[in-house]
């Protein structure tokens, strides 16, 4: 029978809309793992007398994410209370007397607590925190003697920019107060005063692809309104204003508590960079806010030359010396900010002391880019410098007043095996954290919380000899467990606080005496929040890719699995590429098979409960070869890495090489799309919040600092969008519709979906409402996990019996 045109339209109109059927939930085990109550956060005082336990809820609802939001200057703000709109909050505080083991509730906490920023007072007898409500953020204080919380701030706190408060002394806090009710925010006129106009008059201004930028004069008004705050001193509830309201990017107190070092933002506000790059003024004021010295008037960072080691030709890195009453230090480039200039020294570091009326003194010069300095309790400093482009760093010793740097060690930033750790600090007479020295100031106590080795991560504590420049390990985690020093309670007698775990041992905290070798004392007794994973096995597997580079991955196998009985399993491989200048660095073992398995929303380990072998952290190194940069052979090396992992799983007899899925988030999603475009190794892919067209990030991405115009072919060839017609393996694209990460705009997934669809590929695109680059909404996360589970089951687990012909839509 012949159909009329009207009849055809009518038939089409009654076809069901594809997949627009509301939120889904994954299998129960997956949902229960996601929603398990997190283990409380732990913070203890320096004498290990009191512990603060911070309880958190799992994830907010999508309704909470969908509350009003202002996006300006790279910020996402709640327009009703002068705070970031996407905070993570503490739902309850408890106190524990570590010596007695007694746990206490804290009275006086606000109903429906949404706390953040807990901070111990200098004498550690009080704890300050912020509480956020629908209309304001308030400053509270917990008194350990009474175990009671009291609101101490009279004005709402403005938490829009930088640190919102800091301790002045044991009874006094300096905080940023809101200056006007949030309801007074400028209203947007229906008819604007005119168009938004930008121009450039011949000056180069390369920039990363930041999101949520200022786009109009109205945005400028909003930024100024929400970012303006009043520095306020609260002493036992009595408040005093410090200076006039301003847009404070930062403010810090001098060690002698007599001065403030402030950085305030000024106009014109940039439409190209975020608030941190706006023009600003660095000044020193007294405690009344009177300006004593304008240290620097800094331009917008729009003019920063491209290239990771290039910088503006202006002073940077202003900070107080921790070992002197009132001295500021900063760095200045000697090469006009261009690292390519051939010079013996590229940066100089200067100092200026109170009363700040003299001439700045040059302290020293660095051969690479100055990165920072740490002061010690023995009159010398540790200076850090490095080059990101060469993946190298150096730490040197600066004797006080010498002006000469004595190199202690050079280290590749990717050489985890030879990392000596970080110096342990303690408070000096000013109450500032300085590096601890031992044995007549000849040694540093070093803590390495990772402790990478050929046997996996084994954290250690060591003494670094400043004369011999050797690191002597005095304690190291035993294989079979993973134990890290989280605090040094007594550096002389070596009493430490550790966090210990194993595959079966839930992470808990212990007081350990390394000298007396007495039994460790457990101070927490957290239980397993993930019973669904009991019986799951984990091992670190070692394998080699075809060109000889050694690789590893973390293999999870289901509870009760027997390869002889059950045969090879479908596989979920999850990875994130990293660039290396050295094959030796790339081959180093990272991670530990002895860690307790914890689950975050982003983890692929959920699917081990559904009968999959999961290879997490599958190493995907991209190594510089034959004098070229790593990315020059990016695609080739991705394939080598993937082939090696699949071959290893097949050789072990646990993975079915014909049923393997690959997935990743962000740069891992970029990797996934490229593997599907250039290989036929996989049955399906999951790509979350990726960037797929590198021409949209023309001034560099990840660790690639060449621009599109310097390496046009590279940008084109590395973009999976270029090869969308080759992506025939089913790919699931997931993206937050308000992604805030530079470079991963949602349009990446939208356009890749359209390109694959237009070329007849099998693709599904899920846009999660209100989600940024990291997802948070409870319903969204459950739906994401359900989508991934259905995709894997259809195209991987059941692939042998349910092959999908080209052009056929998946049914969900």
């Amino acid at each position: 029978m012949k159909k009329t045109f009207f009849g055809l339209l009518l038939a089409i109109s009654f076809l069901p809309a594809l997949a627009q059927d509301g939120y889904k939930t994954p299998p129960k085990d997956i949902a229960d793992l996601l929603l398990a109550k997190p283990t409380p956060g732990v913070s203890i005082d320096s004498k290990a007398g009191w512990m603060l336990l911070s309880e958190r809820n799992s994830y907010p609802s999508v309704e909470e994410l969908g509350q009003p939001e202002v996006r300006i200057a790279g910020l996402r703000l709640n327009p009703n209370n002068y705070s970031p709109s996407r905070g993570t909050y503490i739902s309850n505080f408890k106190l524990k007397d570590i010596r007695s083991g007694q746990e206490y509730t804290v009275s006086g906490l606000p109903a429906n607590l949404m706390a953040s920023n807990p901070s111990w007072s200098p004498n550690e007898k009080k704890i300050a925190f912020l509480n956020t409500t629908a209309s304001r953020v308030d400053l509270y204080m917990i008194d350990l003697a009474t175990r009671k919380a009291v609101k101490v701030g009279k004005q709402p706190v403005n938490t829009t920019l930088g640190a919102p408060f800091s301790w002045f002394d044991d009874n006094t806090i300096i905080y940023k107060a809101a200056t006007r009710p949030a309801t007074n925010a400028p209203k947007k006129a229906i008819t604007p005063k005119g168009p938004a106009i930008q121009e450039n008059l011949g000056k180069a201004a390369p920039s990363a692809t930041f999101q949520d930028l200022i786009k109009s004069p109205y945005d400028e008004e909003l930024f100024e309104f929400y970012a303006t705050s009043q520095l306020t001193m609260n002493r036992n509830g009595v408040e005093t204003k410090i200076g006039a309201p301003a847009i404070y990017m930062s403010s810090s107190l001098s060690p002698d508590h007599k001065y403030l070092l402030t950085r305030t933002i000024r106009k014109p506000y940039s439409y190209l960079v975020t608030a941190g790059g706006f023009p600003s003024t660095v000044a020193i004021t007294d405690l009344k806010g009177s300006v004593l010295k304008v240290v620097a008037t800094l331009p917008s960072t729009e003019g920063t030359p491209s290239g990771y080691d290039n910088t503006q030709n202006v002073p940077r890195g202003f900070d107080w010396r921790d070992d002197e009453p009132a001295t500021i230090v900063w760095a200045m480039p000697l090469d006009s900010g261009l690292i390519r200039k051939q010079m013996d020294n590229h940066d100089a570091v200067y100092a200026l002391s109170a009363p700040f009326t003299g001439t700045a003194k040059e302290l020293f010069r660095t051969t690479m880019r100055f990165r920072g300095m740490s002061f010690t309790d023995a009159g010398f400093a540790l200076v850090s410098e490095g080059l990101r482009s060469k993946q190298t760093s150096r730490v040197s010793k600066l004797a006080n007043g010498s002006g000469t740097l004595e190199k202690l060690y050079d280290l590749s930033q990717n050489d985890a095996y030879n990392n000596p750790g970080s110096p342990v600090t303690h408070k000096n007479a000013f109450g500032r954290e300085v590096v601890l020295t031992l044995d007549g100031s000849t040694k540093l106590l070093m803590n390495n919380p990772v402790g990478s080795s050929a046997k996996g991560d084994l954290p250690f504590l060591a003494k670094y000899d400043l004369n011999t420049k050797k690191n002597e390990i005095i304690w190291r985690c035993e294989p079979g467990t993973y134990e890290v020093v989280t605090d040094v309670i007594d550096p002389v007698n070596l009493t430490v606080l550790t966090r210990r775990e194993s595959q079966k041992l839930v992470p808990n905290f212990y007081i350990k005496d390394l000298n007396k070798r007495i039994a460790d004392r457990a101070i927490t007794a957290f239980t397993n929040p993930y019973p669904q994973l009991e019986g799951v096995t984990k091992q670190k597997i070692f394998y080699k890719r075809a060109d000889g580079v050694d690789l590893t991955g973390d293999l999870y196998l289901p509870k009760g699995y027997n390869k002889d009985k059950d045969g090879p399993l479908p596989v979920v491989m999850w990875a994130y590429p990293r660039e290396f200048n050295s094959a030796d660095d790339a081959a180093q073992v990272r991670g530990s098979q002895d860690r307790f398995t914890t689950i975050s929303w982003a983890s692929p380990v959920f699917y081990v409960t559904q009968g999959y072998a999961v290879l997490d952290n599958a190493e995907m190194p991209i190594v510089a070869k034959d004098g070229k940069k790593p990315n020059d052979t990016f695609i080739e090396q991705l394939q080598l890495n993937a082939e090696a992992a699949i071959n290893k799983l097949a050789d072990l007899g646990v993975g079915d090489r014909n049923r393997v899925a690959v997935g990743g988030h962000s740069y891992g999603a970029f990797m996934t799309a490229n593997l599907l475009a250039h290989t036929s190794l996989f049955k399906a892919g999951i790509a979350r919040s990726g960037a797929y067209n590198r021409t949209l990030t023309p001034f560099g991405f990840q660790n690639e600092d060449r621009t599109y115009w310097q390496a046009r072919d590279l940008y084109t060839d590395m973009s999976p969008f270029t090869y969308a017609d080759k992506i025939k393996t089913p790919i699931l694209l997931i993206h937050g519709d308000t992604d805030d990460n530079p470079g991963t705009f949602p349009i990446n997934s939208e356009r890749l979906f359209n390109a694959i669809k237009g070329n007849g590929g099998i693709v599904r695109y899920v846009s999660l409402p209100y989600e940024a680059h990291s997802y948070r909404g409870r319903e969204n996360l459950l739906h994401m996990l359900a989508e991934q589970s259905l995709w894997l089951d259809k195209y991987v687990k059941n692939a042998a019996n349910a092959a999908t012909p080209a052009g056929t839509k998946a049914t969900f």
Side-chain angles (χ1 to χ4, degrees):
M1 178 175 132
K2 185 176 179 181
K3 285 190 178 179
T4 65
F5 181 68
F6 174 78
L8 183 61
L9 283 179
L10 187 64
I12 293 174
S13 70
F14 281 95
L15 288 174
L18 177 64
Q20 310 301 327
D21 51 358
Y23 281 112
K24 298 181 175 71
T25 56
K28 185 177 184 302
D29 279 349
I30 292 179
D32 289 346
L33 284 169
L34 176 76
L35 300 178
K37 188 173 178 61
T39 299
V42 170
S43 175
I44 71 166
D45 65 20
S46 62
K47 296 181 178 61
W50 283 95
M51 178 192 302
L52 178 70
L53 295 163
S54 303
E55 297 179 357
R56 298 165 293 143
N57 295 324
S58 52
Y59 298 100
S61 67
V62 170
E63 182 181 6
E64 291 174 75
L65 292 188
Q67 295 306 301
E69 185 176 65
V70 172
R71 302 175 194 165
I72 44 172
L75 307 169
R76 294 190 170 184
L77 306 174
N78 184 327
N80 300 319
N81 63 10
Y82 288 98
S83 76
S85 56
R86 295 171 179 263
T88 300
Y89 298 107
I90 296 163
S91 58
N92 190 31
F93 286 121
K94 291 182 180 178
L95 289 168
K96 185 173 183 178
D97 185 328
I98 294 175
R99 295 179 180 89
S100 69
Q102 182 69 40
E103 196 171 286
Y104 300 94
T105 59
V106 177
S107 64
L109 291 173
N112 302 314
L113 182 69
M114 295 177 66
S116 61
N117 301 76
S119 174
W120 295 80
S121 64
N123 65 3
E124 299 181 325
K125 293 182 179 180
K126 298 176 181 177
I127 301 169
F129 68 91
L130 300 177
N131 182 60
T132 299
T133 67
S135 60
R136 58 188 284 157
V137 179
D138 287 303
L139 180 64
Y140 278 76
M141 196 178 293
I142 300 172
D143 190 319
L144 268 65
T146 62
R147 300 184 289 279
K148 183 178 181 179
V150 177
K151 187 172 82 170
V152 295
K154 295 184 178 180
Q155 303 300 319
V157 182
N158 187 329
T159 64
T160 298
L161 287 173
F165 73 89
S166 60
W167 286 94
F168 180 84
D169 60 31
D170 296 326
N171 300 299
T172 309
I173 287 177
I174 296 176
Y175 73 97
K176 296 177 182 177
T179 58
R180 288 183 284 175
T183 53
N184 288 2
K187 307 300 180 185
K188 187 173 185 177
I190 295 176
T191 304
K193 296 177 181 179
I197 298 173
Q198 302 180 57
E199 70 174 350
N200 189 60
L201 301 176
K203 185 176 181 180
S207 177
T209 49
F210 296 113
Q211 308 215 38
D212 304 327
L213 298 176
I214 285 178
K215 298 176 182 177
S216 68
Y218 174 65
D219 284 351
E220 295 187 50
E221 291 181 60
L222 284 180
F223 171 72
E224 188 163 315
F225 177 84
Y226 287 115
T228 299
S229 63
Q230 172 67 62
L231 286 183
T232 302
M233 181 177 287
N234 182 298
R235 187 187 299 274
N236 291 322
V238 178
E239 296 196 341
T240 306
K241 294 181 179 179
I242 300 175
I247 301 177
Y248 288 99
M249 192 69 197
S250 64
S251 65
S252 62
L253 187 66
S254 63
D256 64 2
H257 290 199
K258 293 181 180 180
Y259 309 98
L260 287 170
L261 177 63
T262 66
R263 182 181 163 207
T264 54
I265 290 174
R266 67 179 195 279
K267 291 182 175 181
Y269 308 137
S270 173
Y271 284 42
L272 189 63
V273 297
T274 62
F278 287 3
S280 62
T281 301
V282 179
I284 298 169
T285 75
D286 61 20
L287 297 183
K288 294 181 180 180
S290 299
V291 175
L292 304 178
K293 173 78 173 180
V294 174
V295 182
T297 302
L298 302 175
S300 163
T301 60
E302 288 185 10
T304 305
S306 62
Y308 290 131
D309 296 312
N310 291 330
T311 185
Q312 283 183 294
N313 191 28
V314 297
R316 70 182 194 277
F318 297 91
D319 203 358
W320 295 106
R321 281 193 66 142
D322 295 312
D323 61 342
E324 293 186 1
T327 298
I328 60 167
V329 293
W330 67 91
M332 184 74 189
L334 298 171
D335 54 11
S336 302
L338 302 173
I339 200 69
R340 69 173 182 269
K341 289 189 175 182
Q342 299 299 312
M343 307 180 68
D344 292 335
N345 301 105
H346 286 275
D347 281 345
V349 174
Y350 299 88
L352 181 65
S353 299
F356 314 110
T357 55
T359 302
K361 175 186 176 182
E362 183 180 308
L363 296 180
F364 58 88
R365 297 184 173 195
T366 58
T367 58
M368 295 180 278
R369 280 283 175 249
F370 171 73
R371 290 180 171 174
M373 58 193 306
S374 301
F375 302 94
T376 71
D377 58 10
F380 63 87
L382 302 178
V383 175
S384 175
E385 57 184 295
L387 293 174
R388 179 177 173 180
S389 61
K390 297 186 180 298
Q391 298 182 347
T392 188
S393 62
R394 172 177 296 170
V395 173
S396 302
K397 175 184 175 183
L398 173 71
N400 205 4
S402 72
T404 302
L405 295 179
E406 177 190 350
K407 184 177 74 172
L408 297 179
Y409 58 86
D410 285 330
L411 187 68
S412 164
Q413 292 169 195
N414 289 316
D415 181 5
Y417 287 0
N418 291 304
N419 188 336
S422 300
V424 172
T425 64
H426 68 147
K427 289 184 179 178
N428 64 5
F430 296 116
R432 313 280 285 205
E433 291 290 335
V434 294
V435 173
L436 171 77
T437 61
L438 299 172
D439 301 344
S441 301
T442 63
K443 294 179 181 178
L444 307 177
L445 186 61
M446 307 289 279
N447 182 19
N448 190 322
V450 179
S452 296
S453 75
K455 297 180 180 179
D457 290 352
L458 296 170
F460 62 79
L461 205 63
K463 286 186 177 181
Y464 183 88
D465 192 309
L466 294 165
N467 295 320
T468 66
K469 300 178 176 57
K470 295 187 181 299
N471 219 30
E472 176 195 359
I473 295 177
I474 58 177
W475 171 83
R476 187 160 207 163
C477 164
E478 292 291 334
T481 62
Y482 184 85
E483 187 170 16
V484 57
V485 174
T486 61
D487 199 5
V488 177
I489 300 167
D490 183 344
V492 176
N493 295 307
L494 290 178
T495 304
V496 299
L497 179 72
T498 69
R499 183 178 184 267
R500 185 191 308 157
E501 61 188 283
S502 70
Q503 285 197 28
K504 295 183 178 180
L505 184 66
V506 177
N508 273 291
F509 290 84
Y510 299 81
I511 294 178
K512 179 186 287 286
D513 192 312
L514 300 182
N515 274 347
K516 296 180 181 178
R517 304 289 181 181
I518 59 178
D520 297 348
R521 178 158 62 98
I523 62 171
T524 60
F526 301 134
T527 57
N528 184 4
Y530 308 120
Q532 300 83 359
L533 294 181
E534 291 180 357
V536 168
T537 62
K538 173 187 175 182
Q539 69 177 109
K540 185 166 284 294
I541 60 172
F542 300 80
Y543 50 102
K544 194 183 294 287
R545 73 185 197 187
D547 63 356
V549 176
D550 291 316
L551 304 173
T552 64
D554 296 325
L555 175 62
Y556 296 83
L557 296 173
K559 177 182 179 180
Y561 170 69
N562 183 315
K563 70 177 181 180
D564 296 326
K565 175 183 175 184
D566 302 319
L569 298 171
V571 176
V572 177
M573 182 191 304
W574 208 260
Y576 190 95
R578 290 179 58 197
E579 299 91 340
F580 295 86
N581 285 336
S582 159
D584 289 339
D585 288 353
Q588 291 186 0
V589 178
R590 292 169 177 84
S592 169
Q593 70 175 14
D594 298 317
R595 299 202 67 170
F596 184 80
T597 299
T598 57
I599 297 282
S600 75
W601 67 268
S603 174
V605 179
F606 289 103
Y607 300 102
V608 76
T609 67
Q610 306 303 303
Y612 291 87
V614 176
L615 185 64
D616 195 13
N617 301 315
E619 291 286 354
M620 288 279 171
I622 308 299
V623 185
K625 290 183 172 184
D626 304 322
K628 298 180 179 179
K629 291 195 172 186
N631 283 337
D632 292 340
T633 52
F634 180 83
I635 303 299
E636 169 194 327
Q637 294 193 61
L638 278 186
Q639 182 167 350
L640 288 174
N641 294 325
E643 287 174 341
I646 292 171
N647 289 339
K648 179 63 176 181
L649 295 174
D651 291 346
L652 289 173
V654 299
D656 183 346
R657 68 166 62 250
N658 295 313
R659 292 188 297 162
V660 182
V662 64
H665 189 89
S666 195
Y667 208 53
F670 174 70
M671 167 206 75
T672 297
N674 265 307
L675 282 169
L676 299 192
H678 297 285
T679 77
S680 56
L681 297 170
F682 300 98
K683 278 292 183 181
I686 298 172
R688 293 196 314 238
S689 296
Y692 308 112
N693 185 343
R694 296 276 51 132
T695 67
L696 299 178
T697 54
F699 290 105
F701 57 92
Q702 210 69 4
N703 283 310
E704 178 57 63
D705 64 353
R706 290 170 290 185
T707 71
Y708 169 74
W709 298 275
Q710 293 168 333
R712 188 177 283 106
D713 290 345
L714 177 82
Y715 275 66
T716 301
D717 292 344
M718 283 184 68
S719 297
F721 181 84
T722 304
Y723 303 96
D725 60 326
K726 306 297 184 186
I727 300 178
K728 300 304 180 183
T729 301
I731 183 169
L732 174 62
L733 301 173
I734 302 175
H735 218 120
D737 71 359
T738 57
D739 194 319
D740 57 348
N741 184 56
T744 54
F745 290 79
I747 195 173
N748 278 278
S749 290
E750 295 167 9
R751 293 295 181 262
L752 184 61
F753 170 78
N754 289 336
I756 296 173
K757 179 181 177 181
N759 282 284
I762 300 172
V763 59
R764 183 177 176 89
Y765 174 39
V766 179
S767 177
L768 299 175
Y770 308 121
E771 294 294 357
H773 194 61
S774 179
Y775 311 157
R776 298 178 61 226
R778 183 168 57 248
E779 298 92 335
N780 283 335
L781 293 174
L782 289 168
H783 186 89
M784 176 201 78
L785 292 168
E787 290 276 0
Q788 293 178 170
S789 185
L790 289 166
W791 196 258
L792 292 170
D793 284 354
K794 181 173 182 64
Y795 292 113
V796 182
K797 181 186 286 185
N798 303 317
N801 301 317
T804 303
T808 303
K809 290 186 174 68
T811 302
F812 281 77

